[in-house]
Amino acid sequence: MTKELYTELYQITFAGQILEGFTDTEVRNNVKALFRISDQRTARLFSGTRTTLKSGLSHDDALIYHERLTKAGAAVQISAQPRTATNAPSAEANTPPPASTDTRQPEPRPAGPQQEAPFEFTGSGREYFGIWIVNILLTIVTLGIYSAWATVRNNQYFYGNTRMEGASFQYLASPVTILKGRLIALAVLVAYVVLSEMYVEAALVFAIAFIPLVPWIMVRSLRFQAINSAYRNIRFDFQGKYGEAFMVAFVWPLLNMLTLLLLTPLVMKKTHEFIANGSRYGTTEFQLKADTGEYYRFFGKGLLIAVAFGVAAFLAMRHIGFTLGSVIAVIGYLTLFGYFMAGIANLFLCAVHLDSHDFESRLQPLQMTWIYLSNSFLVVITLGLFTPWAKVRMARYRAACTAMMVRGDLNHFVAAEQNRTSALGQELGDAFDVDFAAI
């Protein structure tokens, strides 16, 4: 028999309150720096809802965290977690346990301290150039047939050079499957063109009949991309429903138009929810935990930026000169471009959760704009030859600004995947590789 020992663990909780002698801005900046989190996550910590900052701590570690956060001005509290039983060592401890026949998914793991697992991209423009140029030449020579193989080679390179915690991502799609999907799409396009030339009414009916297929293609596309992506030999998956896709593709955009675009932030949130909540890593679901107000605040700031630059450009053109006004307008456009390009990715990734793990995205608008503009300039003056370096440069920056906040470790996903009954390979033949993404 074994004797049970109980380990007392503690957690640090915070309800957004600050200590006397500190300002709200000062404490927010201190907490953001201590935990290295985004503005969005910092705002959620100060929303007034009690949040567990750290858990699974010994009493000494809890005191250390309490002291550091108190010095930062945060009114945090230490509380004991429910006791958990562990088996004490005994004579039976050295006997290997029998093989389990239980096929149920493992119980949720206890929460523990989070550790940052940064992404990194290890590819180089010079290396990718060889793949890129061969893909182009073979696609031309084969009249486009090789494009399916080119897509797989490109994705395998970028997936394989994207790493986290020492492991690379994998792209597992078959070029033949992609080619089949493209041939079907080409056949549909040819049929539509022929009908439009011969029978206009028939072409109109054909186009209307195709509308219900759009949500289905969206779901199949997302599932195709997910199911052919893997990390540590565990495939991703997508289980979004047709009805959800129909809402995202047609209903929400229509309601947005009827309300004069006032629902734009809500439409984006619904799109993000559809993609995130339908995604899986092995058998574990992703979840989007975001407040609608965050999306409205994000778009509200963008609108204020647009109005400020628009007014400044108009006044400059009216009272100073057209040239200065045009310069201000261009600067305003680039500012908005960087704000949305970086901000939407940050908004989405910082709201995504996988089990007890979170994600961080720290893309900077100015840096994103600079990389995009300089890449575009260099691609133009080199007649396109800089394209491989441009793609690698952007991939490297995106990876460097992205991290997974891991609580405990990722090994439990492997255990869950071993119990998964899968016939994934049988479901790939009717998939399309149409691009549809959240960011």
Side-chain angles (χ1 to χ4, degrees), residues 121 123-130 132 157 388-390 392-393 396:
F121 185 78
S124 68
R126 187 179 208 179
E127 186 178 50
Y128 177 55
F129 178 81
W132 177 78
Y157 181 80
W389 282 268
V392 165
R393 188 182 176 200
R396 183 179 293 120

Side-chain angles (χ1 to χ4, degrees), residues 174-283:
S174 165
V176 175
T177 301
I178 294 177
L179 182 61
K180 288 179 182 178
R182 291 182 178 178
L183 290 176
I184 293 173
L186 179 62
V188 172
L189 178 62
V190 170
Y192 176 74
V193 171
V194 171
L195 283 174
S196 63
E197 291 293 330
M198 299 176 61
Y199 309 102
V200 177
E201 296 81 2
L204 181 61
V205 172
F206 186 92
I208 295 174
F210 185 76
I211 291 176
L213 289 177
V214 172
W216 180 82
I217 292 175
M218 287 170 56
V219 172
R220 296 305 304 175
S221 171
L222 286 167
R223 185 150 202 259
F224 181 81
Q225 292 298 333
I227 217 168
N228 285 294
S229 305
Y231 176 71
R232 291 184 173 180
N233 295 318
I234 299 177
R235 289 181 186 255
F236 292 82
D237 197 358
F238 183 79
Q239 295 292 335
K241 306 301 182 184
Y242 177 90
E244 297 169 346
F246 188 86
M247 293 290 293
V248 167
F250 298 116
V251 177
W252 287 114
L254 178 61
L255 292 175
N256 193 28
M257 292 177 60
L258 294 176
T259 56
L260 303 179
L261 305 182
L262 291 177
L263 295 181
T264 299
L266 181 60
V267 172
M268 176 161 287
K269 185 195 173 188
K270 293 295 183 181
T271 303
H272 285 177
E273 285 180 339
F274 167 66
I275 295 173
N277 295 346
S279 299
R280 309 284 187 271
Y281 176 56
T283 56

